[in-house]
Amino acid sequence: YYVHKQDKEGRKQIGFIAQDMRKVIPEAVSGSEGALGLSYGQLTAVLVKGMQEQQKEIESLKLKMMKLEKKD
């Protein structure tokens, strides 16, 4: 959650902070300091790729676990 600096009513928003995302995925951030924007559409591919990598790791760990359980 965050509150946009220019929101006079101080409403909470849900999302990523562009300044933080610029450190991780600068291609998804546009604008200049004080008026940065984030292209959530560009994050989709990165997030899906991360999920795919996690799934491979999960499958690998499942396989290792099954092998260990068979040894007992």
Side-chain angles (χ1 to χ4, degrees):
Y1 294 94
Y2 66 93
V3 176
H4 197 280
K5 289 180 182 178
Q6 296 174 349
D7 186 345
K8 304 283 188 231
E9 296 176 24
R11 293 173 291 201
K12 278 187 180 179
Q13 302 288 322
I14 296 174
F16 297 107
I17 297 172
Q19 288 86 345
D20 294 341
M21 292 302 292
R22 186 170 50 182
K23 297 172 190 171
V24 183
I25 309 169
E27 300 85 357
V29 180
S30 61
S32 57
E33 196 60 44
L36 292 174
L38 188 58
S39 173
Y40 283 87
Q42 288 185 310
L43 295 178
T44 304
V46 176
L47 295 172
V48 169
K49 181 66 175 171
M51 290 168 60
Q52 289 172 336
E53 290 172 0
Q54 283 183 330
Q55 192 60 41
K56 283 182 185 177
E57 183 71 18
I58 290 168
E59 295 303 324
S60 172
L61 291 170
K62 282 182 178 179
L63 188 60
K64 287 179 183 178
M65 211 167 77
M66 285 174 36
K67 288 179 181 178
L68 288 172
E69 287 173 350
K70 286 183 182 179
K71 287 182 179 180
D72 291 339

